[in-house]
Amino acid sequence: MFIGREKELNALDKLYKSDKFEFIVIYGRRRVGKTELMNQFIGDKKSIYFMGVESNEKQNLENFSNSIIEFSSGIQAETSFASFQAALEYVFRLAQKERMILAIDEYPYVARSSKSLASTLQLLIDKYKDTSKLMLILCGSSMSYMEDHVLAYKAPLYGRRTAQMKILPFDFEESCRYFNNLSDEDKALMYGIVGGTPQYLLQMSDKLSVEENIKNTYLNPMSFLYEEPVNLLKQEVREPAIYTAIITAIATGHTRMSEISTKVGEDTNVCSNYLKNLMSLGIVQREIPYGEKASRKSVYSIEDNMFCFWYRFVMDNNSIIARGAADMVYKRIEPQLSNYMGRVFEEICKQYLWKQLLAGNVPVEFVSLGRWWGNDPIQKSQAEIDIMGEQDSESALFAECKWRNERVDTDILETLVRRSKLFRYTKVHYYLFSKSGFTKGCAEKAAESGNVTLVSYAEILGSMK
């Protein structure tokens, strides 16, 4: 089942139709659907697809040679080019006569085993770019390698690419397309449980309840998702144990650098380097209060929903899950799901606001969105605003998001208005987002105010149709 990626496919198709040399770099974290995207694109076109393996240069060269010979002759042959340069030059020459694609998947595996590969590609691109009709695609899951050794200024291939695509997980709207048969509420829950990574979405079934899906995957020792975070870290980093300790610390509420360092038992400088790697992988994010530049208030949170759910609910229960106690563990998880979904709903609301901005449907044309927290000197307490976004020094929007079964009442609006006055904006607009709608009093007050927009979860879903 292939869903989404229309924008990426259209971009690749446009490059293909140029009928001149094109060099595209595709990268993104594992399981995000890069290989499926390429297969969907090259399916009906003359193409050589080669996937690198984590082996030596000889093995990769043999596999690459087999792919080229099978393309040229239609038969599999136990023969090999003398070098990567000879193999690649053969492909470049083939493409002088007709449009064709060479897609090298997991390029970092090949390049690490053949140190001169990048320089060889540089040489051949410079030699044939004006005469070849080759569409060269290099794809990789090692984000740091692709950024440092392919895209970076000092990399041999810098300046040769004609396009690059960073493939990201699906947003909430795209993820919902996997779950047509689920109820509206369960669609949000499913997004909160696995996020927008296609491989994880495919582990879930829209013919089963959320409870059954959780039991079949996270609470099943034989399932793909049961050990996925640990397995993924083993593939991406050298010291998975320390990374696991850091993610666990964040998942259990230790969100500041000093707290993480104390919990893990490592120096803050050491933790800082590990956190940078986790951020580059899209697993962890660093936040500072919106509009502030000082890093003292910065906190870390788990950005990937699958990792967040796993470290929140699975890791501590691993021992009894391994003994088949799925029902017992789910009874522990269920009462916490509503609270867990608070953070997820905030993200869904942010995505909604961005789409309304692009459609020209917002009263404040913000340039960014974020969360704010800090001291309220009037109330003499800590305050928090779920979402705020600034257009300029005079205009901003403020939003509160509530994922709960009760309707939102006037007290939520009054609190948001009061907290917005901690800032010096003269043009302000308020948004209230609610899973269950709004009381009559809240709706009347919003209408009376004239600068308040009430958005139910049902309306968010309706805007996606």
Side-chain angles (χ1 to χ4, degrees), residues 302-336:
I302 301 175
E303 182 177 7
D304 182 273
N305 288 351
M306 187 277 292
F307 270 81
C308 192
F309 188 88
W310 196 92
Y311 279 90
R312 172 90 174 258
F313 298 117
V314 178
M315 189 169 182
D316 285 349
N317 291 303
N318 244 327
S319 296
I320 57 173
I321 294 171
R323 286 165 174 76
D327 291 339
M328 183 189 299
V329 176
Y330 185 77
K331 284 178 183 176
R332 295 179 182 180
I333 295 172
E334 189 176 28
Q336 303 178 59

Tab-separated table of all heavy atoms in Angstrom, residues 302-336:
chain	number	residue	atom	x	y	z
A	302	ILE	N	10.618	14.366	23.598
A	302	ILE	CA	10.704	13.336	22.558
A	302	ILE	C	9.775	13.750	21.420
A	302	ILE	O	8.576	13.888	21.601
A	302	ILE	CB	10.326	11.947	23.117
A	302	ILE	CG1	11.265	11.594	24.282
A	302	ILE	CG2	10.418	10.889	22.028
A	302	ILE	CD1	10.918	10.306	24.983
A	303	GLU	N	10.358	13.966	20.259
A	303	GLU	CA	9.609	14.465	19.108
A	303	GLU	C	8.855	13.358	18.384
A	303	GLU	O	7.751	13.557	17.896
A	303	GLU	CB	10.581	15.145	18.134
A	303	GLU	CG	9.925	15.745	16.915
A	303	GLU	CD	10.910	16.470	16.023
A	303	GLU	OE1	12.129	16.405	16.280
A	303	GLU	OE2	10.459	17.092	15.052
A	304	ASP	N	9.443	12.175	18.307
A	304	ASP	CA	8.850	11.057	17.577
A	304	ASP	C	7.816	10.349	18.449
A	304	ASP	O	8.121	9.884	19.543
A	304	ASP	CB	9.948	10.081	17.158
A	304	ASP	CG	9.405	8.922	16.367
A	304	ASP	OD1	9.000	7.923	17.000
A	304	ASP	OD2	9.381	8.989	15.129
A	305	ASN	N	6.579	10.267	17.964
A	305	ASN	CA	5.495	9.701	18.773
A	305	ASN	C	5.717	8.242	19.129
A	305	ASN	O	5.372	7.796	20.226
A	305	ASN	CB	4.157	9.849	18.047
A	305	ASN	CG	3.665	11.282	18.034
A	305	ASN	OD1	4.231	12.143	18.710
A	305	ASN	ND2	2.632	11.556	17.267
A	306	MET	N	6.282	7.460	18.202
A	306	MET	CA	6.513	6.044	18.487
A	306	MET	C	7.509	5.898	19.633
A	306	MET	O	7.299	5.117	20.572
A	306	MET	CB	7.027	5.321	17.237
A	306	MET	CG	7.150	3.805	17.382
A	306	MET	SD	8.688	3.252	18.183
A	306	MET	CE	9.898	3.701	16.952
A	307	PHE	N	8.603	6.650	19.584
A	307	PHE	CA	9.581	6.615	20.669
A	307	PHE	C	8.957	7.095	21.969
A	307	PHE	O	9.197	6.528	23.033
A	307	PHE	CB	10.784	7.502	20.323
A	307	PHE	CG	11.883	6.774	19.602
A	307	PHE	CD1	11.801	6.540	18.243
A	307	PHE	CD2	12.997	6.310	20.285
A	307	PHE	CE1	12.807	5.863	17.563
A	307	PHE	CE2	14.007	5.631	19.623
A	307	PHE	CZ	13.915	5.411	18.261
A	308	CYS	N	8.149	8.157	21.886
A	308	CYS	CA	7.525	8.724	23.083
A	308	CYS	C	6.622	7.693	23.753
A	308	CYS	O	6.681	7.487	24.965
A	308	CYS	CB	6.721	9.967	22.698
A	308	CYS	SG	6.199	10.950	24.111
A	309	PHE	N	5.778	7.024	22.965
A	309	PHE	CA	4.869	6.021	23.514
A	309	PHE	C	5.644	4.848	24.096
A	309	PHE	O	5.351	4.369	25.194
A	309	PHE	CB	3.914	5.530	22.421
A	309	PHE	CG	2.828	4.630	22.939
A	309	PHE	CD1	1.639	5.148	23.410
A	309	PHE	CD2	3.005	3.247	22.967
A	309	PHE	CE1	0.632	4.309	23.901
A	309	PHE	CE2	2.027	2.405	23.455
A	309	PHE	CZ	0.831	2.941	23.930
A	310	TRP	N	6.653	4.394	23.364
A	310	TRP	CA	7.418	3.223	23.797
A	310	TRP	C	8.137	3.484	25.120
A	310	TRP	O	8.075	2.673	26.043
A	310	TRP	CB	8.424	2.829	22.715
A	310	TRP	CG	9.002	1.451	22.874
A	310	TRP	CD1	8.531	0.295	22.334
A	310	TRP	CD2	10.167	1.081	23.637
A	310	TRP	NE1	9.324	-0.761	22.701
A	310	TRP	CE2	10.336	-0.316	23.507
A	310	TRP	CE3	11.082	1.796	24.405
A	310	TRP	CZ2	11.375	-1.010	24.111
A	310	TRP	CZ3	12.119	1.109	25.026
A	310	TRP	CH2	12.261	-0.276	24.868
A	311	TYR	N	8.813	4.620	25.222
A	311	TYR	CA	9.563	4.914	26.448
A	311	TYR	C	8.657	5.309	27.605
A	311	TYR	O	9.042	5.177	28.763
A	311	TYR	CB	10.610	5.995	26.180
A	311	TYR	CG	11.855	5.441	25.531
A	311	TYR	CD1	11.978	5.378	24.154
A	311	TYR	CD2	12.903	4.930	26.303
A	311	TYR	CE1	13.110	4.842	23.550
A	311	TYR	CE2	14.034	4.397	25.708
A	311	TYR	CZ	14.135	4.352	24.334
A	311	TYR	OH	15.258	3.811	23.747
A	312	ARG	N	7.469	5.776	27.291
A	312	ARG	CA	6.521	6.140	28.347
A	312	ARG	C	5.823	4.908	28.915
A	312	ARG	O	5.622	4.794	30.128
A	312	ARG	CB	5.494	7.119	27.769
A	312	ARG	CG	4.318	7.463	28.689
A	312	ARG	CD	4.571	8.649	29.565
A	312	ARG	NE	3.381	9.003	30.315
A	312	ARG	CZ	2.566	10.001	30.009
A	312	ARG	NH1	2.808	10.766	28.961
A	312	ARG	NH2	1.516	10.269	30.768
A	313	PHE	N	5.454	3.946	28.037
A	313	PHE	CA	4.591	2.862	28.487
A	313	PHE	C	5.171	1.457	28.366
A	313	PHE	O	4.720	0.554	29.058
A	313	PHE	CB	3.271	2.899	27.708
A	313	PHE	CG	2.474	4.146	27.912
A	313	PHE	CD1	2.207	4.995	26.846
A	313	PHE	CD2	1.991	4.485	29.163
A	313	PHE	CE1	1.462	6.157	27.026
A	313	PHE	CE2	1.245	5.643	29.365
A	313	PHE	CZ	0.991	6.478	28.289
A	314	VAL	N	6.116	1.250	27.477
A	314	VAL	CA	6.588	-0.113	27.214
A	314	VAL	C	7.833	-0.465	28.021
A	314	VAL	O	7.907	-1.544	28.611
A	314	VAL	CB	6.858	-0.320	25.698
A	314	VAL	CG1	7.389	-1.726	25.436
A	314	VAL	CG2	5.591	-0.067	24.899
A	315	MET	N	8.785	0.441	28.052
A	315	MET	CA	10.085	0.099	28.630
A	315	MET	C	9.984	-0.397	30.083
A	315	MET	O	10.537	-1.428	30.435
A	315	MET	CB	11.030	1.285	28.556
A	315	MET	CG	12.452	0.906	28.941
A	315	MET	SD	13.610	2.201	28.548
A	315	MET	CE	15.118	1.402	29.048
A	316	ASP	N	9.250	0.349	30.915
A	316	ASP	CA	9.140	-0.040	32.334
A	316	ASP	C	8.362	-1.336	32.536
A	316	ASP	O	8.475	-1.979	33.583
A	316	ASP	CB	8.467	1.077	33.137
A	316	ASP	CG	9.414	2.249	33.389
A	316	ASP	OD1	10.625	2.080	33.126
A	316	ASP	OD2	8.952	3.314	33.816
A	317	ASN	N	7.556	-1.697	31.545
A	317	ASN	CA	6.734	-2.909	31.665
A	317	ASN	C	7.294	-4.089	30.881
A	317	ASN	O	6.617	-5.104	30.720
A	317	ASN	CB	5.310	-2.606	31.178
A	317	ASN	CG	4.558	-1.669	32.107
A	317	ASN	OD1	4.409	-1.948	33.290
A	317	ASN	ND2	4.109	-0.543	31.573
A	318	ASN	N	8.521	-3.945	30.381
A	318	ASN	CA	9.116	-4.957	29.518
A	318	ASN	C	9.093	-6.359	30.109
A	318	ASN	O	8.791	-7.337	29.425
A	318	ASN	CB	10.570	-4.574	29.186
A	318	ASN	CG	10.736	-4.315	27.702
A	318	ASN	OD1	10.075	-4.938	26.889
A	318	ASN	ND2	11.604	-3.388	27.359
A	319	SER	N	9.412	-6.447	31.379
A	319	SER	CA	9.528	-7.772	32.019
A	319	SER	C	8.217	-8.533	32.016
A	319	SER	O	8.176	-9.727	31.719
A	319	SER	CB	10.035	-7.625	33.458
A	319	SER	OG	11.337	-7.083	33.456
A	320	ILE	N	7.117	-7.821	32.332
A	320	ILE	CA	5.837	-8.542	32.378
A	320	ILE	C	5.231	-8.707	30.981
A	320	ILE	O	4.474	-9.642	30.736
A	320	ILE	CB	4.824	-7.889	33.354
A	320	ILE	CG1	4.563	-6.421	33.001
A	320	ILE	CG2	5.306	-7.991	34.781
A	320	ILE	CD1	3.460	-5.808	33.841
A	321	ILE	N	5.587	-7.800	30.044
A	321	ILE	CA	5.142	-7.996	28.656
A	321	ILE	C	5.753	-9.274	28.104
A	321	ILE	O	5.089	-10.066	27.417
A	321	ILE	CB	5.545	-6.783	27.774
A	321	ILE	CG1	4.792	-5.527	28.200
A	321	ILE	CG2	5.254	-7.085	26.292
A	321	ILE	CD1	5.289	-4.254	27.536
A	322	ALA	N	7.036	-9.494	28.424
A	322	ALA	CA	7.736	-10.693	27.946
A	322	ALA	C	7.093	-11.970	28.474
A	322	ALA	O	7.248	-13.041	27.884
A	322	ALA	CB	9.203	-10.633	28.366
A	323	ARG	N	6.357	-11.849	29.569
A	323	ARG	CA	5.685	-13.012	30.149
A	323	ARG	C	4.229	-13.124	29.704
A	323	ARG	O	3.460	-13.916	30.240
A	323	ARG	CB	5.773	-12.942	31.681
A	323	ARG	CG	7.169	-13.282	32.197
A	323	ARG	CD	7.372	-12.881	33.655
A	323	ARG	NE	8.661	-13.345	34.146
A	323	ARG	CZ	9.839	-12.783	33.845
A	323	ARG	NH1	9.872	-11.738	33.038
A	323	ARG	NH2	10.971	-13.254	34.346
A	324	GLY	N	3.856	-12.307	28.727
A	324	GLY	CA	2.522	-12.433	28.138
A	324	GLY	C	1.412	-11.698	28.845
A	324	GLY	O	0.240	-11.983	28.614
A	325	ALA	N	1.762	-10.710	29.685
A	325	ALA	CA	0.730	-10.010	30.462
A	325	ALA	C	0.234	-8.758	29.748
A	325	ALA	O	0.183	-7.665	30.326
A	325	ALA	CB	1.279	-9.667	31.841
A	326	ALA	N	-0.171	-8.887	28.490
A	326	ALA	CA	-0.605	-7.726	27.703
A	326	ALA	C	-1.830	-7.052	28.311
A	326	ALA	O	-1.912	-5.816	28.357
A	326	ALA	CB	-0.898	-8.161	26.270
A	327	ASP	N	-2.781	-7.844	28.780
A	327	ASP	CA	-4.005	-7.273	29.359
A	327	ASP	C	-3.687	-6.430	30.589
A	327	ASP	O	-4.233	-5.341	30.769
A	327	ASP	CB	-4.994	-8.384	29.735
A	327	ASP	CG	-5.571	-9.083	28.508
A	327	ASP	OD1	-5.524	-8.482	27.411
A	327	ASP	OD2	-6.045	-10.231	28.639
A	328	MET	N	-2.812	-6.947	31.436
A	328	MET	CA	-2.442	-6.243	32.658
A	328	MET	C	-1.770	-4.906	32.340
A	328	MET	O	-2.070	-3.867	32.942
A	328	MET	CB	-1.495	-7.102	33.505
A	328	MET	CG	-1.103	-6.471	34.839
A	328	MET	SD	0.215	-7.396	35.675
A	328	MET	CE	-0.592	-8.980	35.903
A	329	VAL	N	-0.865	-4.922	31.363
A	329	VAL	CA	-0.133	-3.701	31.010
A	329	VAL	C	-1.077	-2.679	30.375
A	329	VAL	O	-1.007	-1.485	30.662
A	329	VAL	CB	1.040	-4.015	30.058
A	329	VAL	CG1	1.731	-2.729	29.618
A	329	VAL	CG2	2.043	-4.943	30.736
A	330	TYR	N	-1.998	-3.155	29.527
A	330	TYR	CA	-2.918	-2.216	28.897
A	330	TYR	C	-3.791	-1.521	29.943
A	330	TYR	O	-4.112	-0.332	29.805
A	330	TYR	CB	-3.804	-2.888	27.850
A	330	TYR	CG	-4.655	-1.872	27.130
A	330	TYR	CD1	-4.107	-1.071	26.138
A	330	TYR	CD2	-5.991	-1.669	27.502
A	330	TYR	CE1	-4.862	-0.091	25.508
A	330	TYR	CE2	-6.753	-0.693	26.874
A	330	TYR	CZ	-6.187	0.089	25.885
A	330	TYR	OH	-6.931	1.076	25.277
A	331	LYS	N	-4.166	-2.240	30.997
A	331	LYS	CA	-4.960	-1.620	32.072
A	331	LYS	C	-4.185	-0.499	32.753
A	331	LYS	O	-4.772	0.453	33.270
A	331	LYS	CB	-5.372	-2.678	33.103
A	331	LYS	CG	-6.503	-3.576	32.614
A	331	LYS	CD	-6.846	-4.641	33.645
A	331	LYS	CE	-7.933	-5.573	33.117
A	331	LYS	NZ	-8.216	-6.682	34.071
A	332	ARG	N	-2.862	-0.602	32.750
A	332	ARG	CA	-2.029	0.472	33.304
A	332	ARG	C	-1.937	1.649	32.337
A	332	ARG	O	-1.848	2.805	32.754
A	332	ARG	CB	-0.616	-0.045	33.588
A	332	ARG	CG	-0.530	-1.117	34.658
A	332	ARG	CD	0.917	-1.560	34.841
A	332	ARG	NE	1.042	-2.631	35.837
A	332	ARG	CZ	2.192	-3.195	36.179
A	332	ARG	NH1	3.319	-2.791	35.611
A	332	ARG	NH2	2.219	-4.156	37.080
A	333	ILE	N	-1.925	1.335	31.040
A	333	ILE	CA	-1.758	2.373	30.018
A	333	ILE	C	-3.030	3.195	29.821
A	333	ILE	O	-2.990	4.431	29.744
A	333	ILE	CB	-1.344	1.739	28.669
A	333	ILE	CG1	0.034	1.104	28.776
A	333	ILE	CG2	-1.377	2.771	27.541
A	333	ILE	CD1	0.438	0.294	27.544
A	334	GLU	N	-4.175	2.528	29.769
A	334	GLU	CA	-5.431	3.164	29.369
A	334	GLU	C	-5.764	4.434	30.153
A	334	GLU	O	-6.118	5.466	29.547
A	334	GLU	CB	-6.584	2.165	29.461
A	334	GLU	CG	-7.865	2.708	28.856
A	334	GLU	CD	-8.981	1.676	28.868
A	334	GLU	OE1	-8.978	0.790	29.749
A	334	GLU	OE2	-9.850	1.758	27.988
A	335	PRO	N	-5.654	4.453	31.498
A	335	PRO	CA	-6.017	5.668	32.236
A	335	PRO	C	-5.093	6.854	31.932
A	335	PRO	O	-5.451	8.002	32.205
A	335	PRO	CB	-5.874	5.248	33.712
A	335	PRO	CG	-5.878	3.755	33.698
A	335	PRO	CD	-5.271	3.350	32.407
A	336	GLN	N	-3.914	6.590	31.373
A	336	GLN	CA	-2.945	7.660	31.106
A	336	GLN	C	-3.005	8.192	29.677
A	336	GLN	O	-2.337	9.169	29.350
A	336	GLN	CB	-1.522	7.150	31.379
A	336	GLN	CG	-1.303	6.619	32.787
A	336	GLN	CD	0.113	6.095	32.973
A	336	GLN	OE1	1.083	6.829	32.800
A	336	GLN	NE2	0.236	4.824	33.295
